[in-house]
Amino acid sequence: MLKLFLLISIYSIFSLHVHSQENKIHTDSLEIYSFKDLTEKYDSYKNTSPKEAKIYLDKMLSKATVLEQRVASLLIACRHETFYGSTEKAFAHVDSAISLLESQKNTVEMGKAYERKGFVFYYKKKDYKTALKFYLKASKLAEDTNDTLLMITVEHKIAALYFMIDNKKVALQMYRTLYNQTYDKKEIPYAIKIPIIKSLSNVYFKKYSLDPSVKKLLDSSSFFGQKGLKLALAEKNKKDITYLTTLLGIASYTSKNYEDALSYLTKAKTTASEIGLKERLKSVYHYKGMVFLAQKKPDSAIYYFQKNAVHLADTSKLFAFPNTYALLSESYEQQNNLKEALKYSQLAEAYTSNTYSKRASLQYTLDTKYDLPKLKEKSKQLQYELSRASYTKKIWIVLALILVMVLIASFVFFKRRERLNKKNFEQTLRSLSQTEEEVAVPKNTIATHVSEAQTETILNALVHFEQSTLFVNPDCTLPFLAQELTTNTTYLSKIINTHKKQSYTEYLVSLRISYALKRLKNEKRFRAYSIASIAQECGFKSAKSFSRAFKKKTGIYPSYYIKNIEAETISE
């Protein structure tokens, strides 16, 4: 263990040494660059790799000797700190530049310094009043020195102030004027053109957000966004490419062109990740989630909303998308996960309550359906639906248990019936195999009041009748049979009741069923008949009366008997 610890320690010290040497070598290698070279290097990295750009910037600051270089490097450093660093350093750099210019009474460059300081107040401090004061100073100096580019830059910054104080109409007019002055002018540099086009696209989108009935506002936003993207791609400026593809993605989502929206937002995600623009990724994640939610793809929507949800834990800062919890609730509800939907609805309610006083500054980013009263109502609704779903679930469980019990009971019932049917079938077959016993003629005539001779004659006639097929005749009634046996209906009926222990109808039906049993057992072709045809062949008027009589005599239905006879025949 001691050896391992020593090895790790030595490796760590060696790694730190090598790393420091690499940094020193990298810094030392910059000595060969001139101030102009360092400026060009910084410009090539400032939007794609701010950390790398900072290395060249630090060297610029130390290498600047003449006034022009010192002021230029300080203003560049101010810009860098404004976007990527601290407010204090941004002010320190611009104030140093102003002090130098004042000491030299250089009014030509002072306008740029005032513009830069105004922007720090605007961007970092949100102090629009002080920002305007410095912009006006810069504008006056630009006019005095006839500096067209500075005048355009300051006008753009003032238009941005109008936008921020909600005077979007004036802001839009100013942006359109600046666009017409700059877009097709080759002498106007990219750095001047692109902010104007980005602002135009953004203002049109915000105006559409306030009045969605005017579709041409959204079309204008997309038009200028495409113009800006074309310039940014030609310039290979990844920061602007990220901004514009994000804006175009949002516009496409708003116009319900979801495939275009995903395409733009995916490109924005790629470029933002390459240059480390984490703030821009939040917008990309939000709107990708919105697209998937609109497409009824809650799993994907939840994935992207969860990436932003981590930023809502700190309620001391207002997140740009405070409706993230509410959107997660909506996504889980779409997924039919009411438990998670309720959880995030309650989180949305709590977050909105805790940050209510801060929300005014970003009110335009909020959808009214996520306001506090509606969030509370949504939580109540979800609680109700969740309790109802729980109750419904219990009902379904009870119904499922009842169904299982019914199925078990049915299974037992059918198994028992199957066994009984099999038993009745076997008994029926045995009865068919037995030789019929001859009917004994009673010696007394007390029960019938019919003479012994007459009784014997009728019983013998019945034996011949049973051996014939006369009983399948549908017209074989008691009078008909009495006539056939040359006796009267009274004697015949009494003999059948006494000696056959049946009424005439029962006797006739029994003969017909026995006939059917024998034919079905012995004749394969007969088994192929329909039940109705079999019934007719056996003297019954309908299949229903035949089946009922068959079941009464045998305990099974004709179909079951036929099926099992067939099975026995095959097995034999």
Side-chain angles (χ1 to χ4, degrees), residues 444-477:
N444 62 78
T445 58
I446 297 171
T448 60
H449 300 290
V450 180
S451 67
E452 190 175 337
Q454 286 176 320
T455 299
E456 188 173 351
T457 299
I458 293 171
L459 286 173
N460 288 332
L462 286 174
V463 170
H464 290 294
F465 170 70
E466 292 168 6
Q467 291 172 349
S468 72
T469 56
L470 189 61
F471 52 80
V472 298
N473 186 337
D475 298 323
C476 188
T477 60

Side-chain angles (χ1 to χ4, degrees), residues 280-339:
R280 184 62 57 201
L281 283 173
K282 294 172 185 176
S283 298
V284 172
Y285 294 151
H286 176 80
Y287 282 99
K288 284 196 103 173
M290 295 289 280
V291 170
F292 286 121
L293 186 62
Q295 290 181 321
K296 307 292 183 187
K297 296 177 180 178
D299 291 350
S300 298
I302 289 166
Y303 172 79
Y304 285 105
F305 290 142
Q306 287 287 12
K307 283 181 173 290
N308 275 346
V310 296
H311 302 293
L312 297 175
D314 183 6
T315 55
S316 64
K317 297 177 183 177
L318 182 60
F319 184 50
F321 303 103
N323 55 354
T324 300
Y325 281 148
L327 290 167
L328 272 168
S329 175
E330 193 173 337
S331 302
Y332 277 113
E333 189 177 4
Q334 197 177 92
Q335 199 185 53
N336 206 27
N337 187 341
L338 296 180
K339 187 176 180 181

Side-chain angles (χ1 to χ4, degrees), residues 1 97 141 165 185 218 235 256 310 343 406 478 564 567:
M1 284 296 291
L141 287 172
I165 61 174
K185 306 295 188 297
L218 187 60
E235 193 72 15
K256 298 183 179 179
V310 296
K343 169 187 166 183
V406 169
L478 183 64
N564 281 272

Side-chain angles (χ1 to χ4, degrees), residues 204-215 217-219 221-222 246-262 264-265 286-287 290-291 294:
Y204 271 116
F205 183 80
K206 295 303 180 186
K207 280 180 71 67
Y208 173 78
S209 300
L210 296 172
D211 190 3
S213 62
V214 186
K215 176 71 166 55
L217 292 172
L218 187 60
D219 295 337
S221 175
S222 297
T246 301
L247 190 57
L248 286 165
I250 296 169
S252 297
Y253 158 75
T254 307
S255 59
K256 298 183 179 179
N257 294 324
Y258 298 132
E259 295 307 316
D260 287 348
L262 286 175
Y264 281 124
L265 292 168
H286 176 80
Y287 282 99
M290 295 289 280
V291 170

Side-chain angles (χ1 to χ4, degrees), residues 375-429:
L375 286 171
K376 288 181 177 180
E377 184 61 32
K378 186 65 177 177
S379 292
K380 287 181 182 178
Q381 182 187 342
L382 284 169
Q383 282 178 326
Y384 170 73
E385 288 181 9
L386 191 60
S387 61
R388 189 175 68 173
S390 177
Y391 175 75
T392 304
K393 184 178 179 182
K394 289 176 183 176
I395 292 294
W396 278 111
I397 290 171
V398 171
L399 289 175
L401 289 172
I402 291 171
L403 180 61
V404 169
M405 291 173 68
V406 169
L407 289 172
I408 292 171
S410 300
F411 178 77
V412 172
F413 171 76
F414 285 115
K415 278 293 179 183
R416 288 184 63 186
R417 194 175 74 172
E418 181 67 23
R419 287 196 297 269
L420 185 60
N421 285 341
K422 188 175 181 181
K423 181 181 177 182
N424 289 333
F425 173 74
E426 291 170 351
Q427 285 179 347
T428 301
L429 288 182

